[in-house]
Amino acid sequence: MSEKQKAYDPRDREQKLHDRSTWKETENLALIKASKKAWWRPDYWKGVAMLADLWDEEQRDQTPRDTP
């Protein structure tokens, strides 16, 4: 797992792209890397949201599950 950092998540309506105080901590590398870029166009963030979903899914698949 990576270290948590504040990043913008376009999937979260509570977060505002141009207001870093609304950004939340995450381990999602797609969001962390994208938030460090100066790309603010909406079409860019649609792609970031798709990559973030893939990253989250991959992390869930790698998380050990409790088995009875």
Side-chain angles (χ1 to χ4, degrees):
M1 281 286 179
S2 60
E3 185 177 318
K4 284 189 175 186
Q5 295 182 33
K6 274 195 158 190
Y8 172 68
D9 187 341
R11 304 169 298 172
D12 182 350
R13 294 180 187 257
E14 293 180 5
Q15 295 184 40
K16 306 294 182 229
L17 178 59
H18 299 290
D19 183 356
R20 291 178 185 253
S21 69
T22 65
W23 295 10
K24 297 177 183 172
E25 287 196 351
T26 183
E27 293 178 340
N28 188 308
L29 291 176
L31 297 174
I32 291 169
K33 289 183 178 194
S35 294
K36 293 179 181 179
K37 303 286 184 189
W39 308 79
W40 302 108
R41 295 189 343 239
D43 57 335
Y44 173 80
W45 290 103
K46 287 179 186 177
V48 170
M50 288 188 298
L51 290 173
D53 285 340
L54 290 171
W55 193 91
D56 287 343
E57 184 177 310
E58 184 176 302
Q59 297 309 303
R60 279 191 298 272
D61 290 347
Q62 293 178 6
T63 302
R65 290 176 174 67
D66 292 335
T67 53

